Amino acid sequence: MCHGRDGKGDGPYAVFLNRKPAVLTTIRERNKGIFPQERLYKMIDGREPVTAHGTREIPIWGDVFLAWSVQDFWPWGSEQLVRGRILELLFYLQSIQK
Ligand code: HEM
């Protein structure tokens, strides 16, 4: 909705935002050629939230990256399962770097 289908920051909702959604394909370029995996991980799990993404407790993308969202059906490894989801997303973000 915000970053757009291709991560170019041109999603349909972007026009309603004061802050332009970041272009997700140039993160590495804007970070001296290094893909900031740890910073992005903390951004998504909420330890270093982006204000535009809401709070750690109520992020804009819902509870998909929060362990309690899988507690009911995966009680013995919810943290690991969510970690897997975040890492999959980071691998995807890395794959779209220019
Ligand atoms: C899972 C979904 C999302 C991911 C992975 C994501 C990822 C990111 C990342 C990595 C950045 C910072 C990039 C950088 O360091 O340059 C960012 C910034 C931003 N995102 Fe998202 N985002 C998501 C959803 C959203 C949504 C739904 C919105 C709109 C409501 C949004 C609006 C923004 C804005 C406005 C910024 C720029 C913040 C600023 O300049 O301070 N993002 N996003």
Side-chain angles (χ1 to χ4, degrees):
M1 285 297 285
C2 298
H3 292 283
R5 189 169 288 283
D6 309 322
K8 300 272 171 44
D10 55 357
Y13 195 70
V15 290
F16 301 104
L17 299 171
N18 299 336
R19 295 291 291 250
K20 192 171 172 332
V23 177
L24 300 181
T25 57
T26 60
I27 297 172
R28 184 173 54 201
E29 199 178 86
R30 290 181 279 112
N31 198 63
K32 301 190 182 84
I34 296 158
F35 185 73
Q37 175 114 354
E38 197 182 339
R39 178 167 69 79
L40 295 175
Y41 192 105
K42 289 179 179 170
M43 196 181 284
I44 294 163
D45 80 356
R47 280 176 289 162
E48 285 180 24
V50 166
T51 318
H53 293 156
T55 64
R56 182 172 195 179
E57 294 71 28
I58 312 173
I60 193 125
W61 44 69
D63 60 10
V64 66
F65 302 123
L66 297 171
W68 56 264
S69 71
V70 294
Q71 197 68 29
D72 299 344
F73 68 88
W74 202 268
W76 51 87
S78 54
E79 289 291 342
Q80 289 79 358
L81 191 132
V82 162
R83 194 176 304 139
R85 286 181 175 172
I86 297 175
L87 288 173
E88 279 297 330
L89 178 56
L90 290 180
F91 290 142
Y92 168 71
L93 286 177
Q94 193 155 19
S95 74
I96 62 169
Q97 294 310 299
K98 233 176 30 177

